[in-house]
Amino acid sequence: MPRRHLHVTGAAEAPLRTALRALRTELDVPRGFPPDVLAEAEAAAKSPSLPGQDATDIPLFTVDPPGSVDLDQAMHLARRADGGYRVHYAIADVAAFVGPAGALDAEAHRRVQTLYFPDGRIPLHPPVLSEGAASLLPAQTAPALLWRVDLDAYGRRVATDVRRALVRSRIRLDYATVQRQIDEGAAEEPVALLRDIGRLREELEAERGGISLRVPEQEIVETDGAYRLAFRAPRPADAWNAQISLLTGMAAADLMTAAGTGILRTLPTAPDGAVARLRRSAQALGMEWPHHVSYAALVRALDPREPRNAAFLQDCTALLRGAGYTVFTDGNLPVPAMHAAVADEYTHCTAPLRRLVDRYAGELCVAAVAGQEPPEWVRAALAALPREMADGTRLANRVERECVDLVEAALLMDRVGDVFPGTVVDVREGDPTVGTVHLADPAVVARVESPGAALPLGERLAVRLTRAFPGREKALFVPA
């Protein structure tokens, strides 16, 4: 699921930064890597298992946030003679560096995924690999799983191949640069085609009933002891780039289901109650949501640059929290096998530097294309992967939730006693005096308590902030 993107600046001694350091301790998240893991990573970086195929002639490029160095993916896009398109998508080959049963592998299974805090990240693999030898950095030859996906003129997939190869990215681009080059007509064809293919894939997504959330990034900026909230709405280029990853994840799911062994990312259809809560959230923000308009249609129509839309899109991430991983073997597909937001069978396979399961999905796909049985170390790990990923996801979700609480407390800490217009979007089952209030400005969703009186669910309510201090007190409101 899309995560809330939080970034914080400010002095190290500022209250929010202090609280974030304390949160790391409280959650007992990993810090540095053990010496044996670092030693194994250093050795692997110098002597990885290299593939026989050389594909360094393909002029790949990467698209990532500015300053990123843990680059999982690189791509090249081209037109085919029949009017369709060819997508080359290189994925970092983590298995070329991390062997089964070693210290590196054990540490990756302990960490499960990279954890993101507003002021930094805790990586899945040692930086010598994730930011160095295994990363698809420009001008660096590296082993990769090289996908080749052919599309017809409408963007539909007509052929899929994946195999190990040496690759070499030519240039590292960021989203703003890609968007500017495309908008100005200055992008060369491999980059310009990202818009064409991305739009076609978005149209197909809408046809099958899928939805991609364009969740804005939140930035909390500290100035003279006070904080302000800023949003950065995702650009079209962000969504076009995401469509390439989604395309690959659906292609991978098809390869695994055809082979009879795999691991899918699944998500059940959202229950009516969850959608009803979103309708109350929309009402809180003064948004029109006619009953004949579906959730997917509404979200696709929203401009994330509008503050109230940005707040609503943050709430929409709640519908994706039932996602999980499901293993199948011997051709026995899981029920359900679909991912409701993708509206198709889907798997995670494009971020192995940052997510454990992707390494295994990649190995299953390479074996499927080669007509071979998956490696035994992959089959042996499959049964435990859903539980491991679930544990890792719970920790990541808690990190996100606690960070959001800290950020909101930091945002509001100098406004204790102020009154805000809001709407009650949820009440506690069995105790209607406790619930959740949604403010339109600032875009905050926080606890509200009304001792002795039931909260008016779904109705507007003026609330007073009674406490907020990062690390000590989460934001709490009462009726004004």
Side-chain angles (χ1 to χ4, degrees):
M1 62 168 256
R3 309 207 70 81
R4 297 192 191 201
H5 299 285
L6 300 169
H7 176 62
V8 65
T9 62
E13 66 275 11
L16 179 55
R17 297 290 294 274
T18 301
L20 289 168
R21 289 195 297 272
L23 179 61
R24 286 173 166 82
T25 300
E26 177 188 341
L27 298 182
D28 193 26
V29 297
R31 297 298 181 97
F33 288 88
D36 58 337
V37 173
L38 292 174
E40 190 175 317
E42 291 281 356
K46 296 174 182 176
S47 183
S49 176
L50 298 179
Q53 180 178 344
D54 188 331
T56 55
D57 59 322
I58 300 174
L60 301 167
F61 63 92
T62 60
V63 184
D64 290 278
S68 295
V69 288
D70 52 342
L71 309 184
D72 287 286
Q73 315 106 7
M75 75 180 80
H76 181 265
L77 310 173
R79 297 184 187 273
R80 295 196 298 133
D82 62 0
Y85 305 89
R86 173 160 290 178
V87 176
H88 276 111
Y89 204 40
I91 306 300
D93 186 0
V94 173
F97 299 89
V98 180
L104 262 175
D105 185 49
E107 184 69 10
H109 279 266
R110 185 172 77 90
R111 295 183 176 228
V112 180
Q113 61 180 294
T114 297
L115 297 175
Y116 293 92
F117 287 78
D119 57 347
R121 65 180 181 270
I122 298 176
L124 173 62
H125 302 102
V128 68
L129 297 180
S130 61
E131 300 176 9
S135 179
L136 302 184
L137 296 164
Q140 172 172 286
T141 299
L145 304 186
L146 182 61
W147 289 80
R148 188 187 71 224
V149 183
D150 286 345
L151 309 174
D152 66 16
Y154 301 98
R156 296 186 178 91
R157 184 162 41 89
V158 295
T160 302
D161 183 79
V162 59
R163 60 192 64 203
R164 286 190 151 83
L166 287 174
V167 301
R168 190 176 182 87
S169 175
R170 299 297 196 271
I171 186 170
R172 174 173 47 191
L173 300 173
D174 59 62
Y175 295 106
T177 299
V178 168
Q179 191 69 60
R180 184 178 65 254
Q181 289 181 355
I182 290 175
D183 290 345
E184 295 175 352
E188 296 182 0
E189 182 167 276
V191 176
L193 286 178
L194 183 62
R195 174 190 56 196
D196 299 347
I197 296 172
R199 286 177 173 174
L200 289 171
R201 294 300 302 178
E202 286 175 334
E203 291 174 6
L204 293 172
E205 180 179 73
E207 284 181 14
R208 66 177 187 268
I211 181 64
S212 294
L213 289 180
R214 297 175 294 165
V215 182
E217 291 186 0
Q218 283 181 294
E219 184 175 40
I220 300 297
V221 182
E222 187 272 332
T223 307
D224 298 329
Y227 297 91
R228 63 180 177 85
L229 174 65
F231 282 108
R232 186 194 76 78
R235 305 170 183 87
D238 299 44
W240 301 332
N241 186 63
Q243 286 295 330
I244 303 298
S245 180
L246 284 168
L247 166 68
T248 308
M250 287 186 281
D254 284 351
L255 287 177
M256 290 191 291
T257 56
T261 300
I263 182 166
L264 298 178
R265 181 67 166 165
T266 56
L267 175 68
T269 302
D272 291 341
V275 178
R277 183 190 180 282
L278 279 183
R279 285 194 174 274
R280 294 195 295 271
S281 178
Q283 179 186 7
L285 294 163
M287 299 171 58
E288 292 188 10
W289 186 355
H291 281 280
H292 69 274
V293 175
S294 71
Y295 158 73
L298 174 71
V299 169
R300 275 194 293 272
L302 294 180
D303 181 350
R305 293 172 296 182
E306 291 290 331
R308 65 179 181 177
N309 294 348
F312 181 74
L313 288 166
Q314 295 282 6
D315 277 359
C316 287
T317 61
L319 294 192
L320 304 181
R321 288 183 180 152
Y325 296 90
T326 306
V327 168
F328 61 96
T329 58
D330 303 321
N332 299 314
L333 295 185
V335 178
M338 298 279 287
H339 190 289
V342 179
D344 202 346
E345 292 170 357
Y346 171 70
T347 195
H348 279 155
C349 66
T350 63
L353 293 177
R354 291 169 283 174
R355 196 168 47 209
L356 176 66
V357 69
D358 298 49
R359 171 163 43 117
Y360 291 88
E363 294 300 313
L364 289 164
C365 291
V366 168
V369 167
Q372 300 172 350
E373 288 294 315
E376 180 54 35
W377 63 269
V378 173
R379 292 183 66 91
L382 281 181
L385 273 178
R387 176 185 53 77
E388 290 175 307
M389 293 305 303
D391 290 344
T393 299
R394 274 193 293 272
L395 176 59
N397 287 343
R398 186 177 177 194
V399 166
E400 176 186 294
R401 184 172 62 252
E402 296 286 349
C403 286
V404 169
D405 287 342
L406 290 176
V407 165
E408 291 183 343
L411 173 66
L412 295 167
M413 62 182 292
D414 61 344
R415 301 189 65 180
V416 172
D418 287 1
V419 174
F420 301 81
T423 299
V424 178
V425 295
D426 201 11
V427 295
R428 178 182 292 176
E429 186 174 355
D431 185 3
T433 67
V434 179
T436 303
V437 65
H438 194 157
L439 311 185
D441 183 22
V444 166
V445 179
R447 182 184 176 100
V448 59
E449 295 181 356
S450 178
L455 289 163
L457 179 62
E459 296 184 14
R460 295 184 183 276
L461 181 70
V463 293
R464 177 177 287 106
L465 179 65
T466 62
R467 72 183 192 201
F469 195 92
R472 293 206 301 266
E473 297 175 328
K474 297 178 181 179
L476 175 66
F477 294 87
V478 297

